[in-house]
């Protein structure tokens, strides 16, 4: 069945630096949704992409349906960026269900 | 204003007891979902619904029932709670057709003793 693999599983950044998180899919992608789970446990919608690239502030996400992967780029990391980042892919005959990766734990340090 | 709300936010139940988790959405979305989150598994789909009166089994439905009495409300029911159902439960809503994007509630932490 469909699987979603996230890498790395954990990442530590110093404030002001940046990095990329990756999400690989085993089947042809319809779209990808990225979330941040913050310290209170809330799931915050970051991006939804069905193609191309989207940018919001210090975050940018790309979608490569041909090679079945998506990336989330974080630049100028801040302490409040700490948390777990999840990607999810629609699946099922109508694409109305989401399958999640197990997340990347990001720690931003002063 | 929060568009997907859940109640209760925290619940302690006893083994064998009945637990009902409630979800309300003001997004006017057709689809609603219940997921559970456990360490090492990400979020996994329990039940979902296409609209009032409909419920469908997700990937891990055993031990759970669902009820969708209206467009806005979707409940998850544990008839006989077990310690293995200790978890964080998330409700979500989404449109039917077009975008597959889902919007999540704040979660309910359930502990079954």
């Amino acid at each position: 069945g469909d699987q979603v693999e996230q890498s790395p599983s954990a990442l530590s950044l110093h404030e002001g630096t940046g990095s990329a998180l990756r999400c690989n899919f085993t089947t042809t992608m319809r779209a990808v949704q990225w979330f941040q789970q913050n310290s209170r446990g809330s799931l915050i919608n970051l991006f939804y992409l069905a193609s191309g690239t989207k940018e919001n502030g210090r975050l940018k996400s790309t979608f490569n349906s041909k090679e079945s992967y998506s990336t989330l780029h974080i630049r100028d990391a801040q302490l409040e960026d700490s948390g777990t980042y999840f990607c999810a892919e629609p699946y099922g005959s109508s694409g109305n269900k989401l399958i999640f990766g197990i997340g990347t734990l990001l720690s931003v340090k002063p | 204003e929060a568009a997907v709300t859940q109640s209760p936010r925290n619940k302690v139940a006893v083994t064998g007891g009945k637990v009902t988790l409630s979800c309300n959405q003001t997004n006017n979305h057709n689809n609603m979902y219940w997921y559970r989150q456990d360490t090492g598994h990400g979020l996994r789909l329990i039940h979902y619904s296409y609209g009032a009166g409909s419920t469908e089994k997700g990937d891990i439905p055993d031990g759970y029932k669902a009820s969708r009495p209206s467009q806005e409300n979707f409940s998850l029911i544990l008839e006989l709670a077990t310690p293995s159902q200790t978890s964080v439960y998330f409700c979500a809503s989404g449109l039917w057709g077009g975008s597959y994007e889902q919007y999540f509630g704040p979660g309910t932490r359930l502990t079954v003793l």
Side-chain angles (χ1 to χ4, degrees):
Chain A
D2 294 22
Q3 290 187 36
V4 177
E5 297 175 353
Q6 288 192 245
S7 61
S9 57
L11 178 64
S12 181
L13 294 176
H14 286 287
E15 275 187 299
T17 64
S19 190
L21 284 58
R22 181 158 169 140
C23 199
N24 290 325
F25 304 95
T26 57
T27 59
T28 302
M29 296 164 61
R30 293 182 174 104
V32 65
Q33 194 166 356
W34 283 95
F35 301 87
Q36 180 201 22
Q37 187 166 37
N38 62 20
S39 59
R40 288 175 298 158
S42 297
L43 283 166
I44 300 166
N45 285 27
L46 298 177
F47 294 105
Y48 172 83
L49 299 94
S51 65
T53 299
K54 285 188 177 179
E55 193 164 354
N56 184 4
R58 297 178 291 99
L59 300 178
K60 181 174 74 173
S61 183
T62 62
F63 178 95
N64 188 320
S65 59
K66 184 176 181 181
E67 298 183 34
S68 294
Y69 73 90
S70 175
T71 56
L72 178 67
H73 298 265
I74 301 173
R75 62 175 175 85
D76 188 24
Q78 303 297 306
L79 296 177
E80 61 265 28
D81 294 332
S82 294
T84 303
Y85 289 78
F86 292 97
C87 61
E89 177 198 18
Y91 75 104
S93 58
S94 57
N96 61 303
K97 300 181 284 187
L98 288 179
I99 184 168
F100 283 75
I102 62 171
T104 294
L105 177 60
L106 173 64
S107 299
V108 180
K109 300 178 180 179
Chain B
E1 187 172 335
V4 181
T5 56
Q6 296 181 228
S7 63
R9 295 293 313 279
N10 290 280
K11 173 76 176 178
V12 178
V14 295
T15 298
K18 182 177 181 178
V19 177
T20 300
L21 306 183
S22 299
C23 178
N24 177 274
Q25 58 105 355
T26 57
N27 294 321
N28 198 29
H29 287 161
N30 301 90
N31 296 346
M32 294 186 74
Y33 307 84
W34 277 106
Y35 295 85
R36 63 179 282 176
Q37 183 179 27
D38 304 288
T39 304
H41 287 281
L43 276 78
R44 293 178 292 172
L45 183 63
I46 306 170
H47 284 290
Y48 62 102
S49 168
Y50 293 121
S54 100
T55 60
E56 304 288 338
K57 293 181 180 179
D59 298 320
I60 53 165
D62 293 346
Y64 303 93
K65 293 183 179 179
S67 174
R68 182 87 181 269
S70 65
Q71 176 87 337
E72 297 79 18
N73 295 293
F74 191 37
S75 297
L76 185 67
I77 303 154
L78 291 67
E79 295 277 5
L80 294 169
T82 68
S84 65
Q85 294 175 312
T86 293
S87 188
V88 179
Y89 292 84
F90 287 94
C91 176
S93 73
L95 287 167
W96 170 255
S99 167
Y100 304 108
E101 189 169 10
Q102 294 185 17
Y103 301 84
F104 283 77
T108 294
R109 183 172 297 276
L110 173 65
T111 302
V112 182
L113 301 176

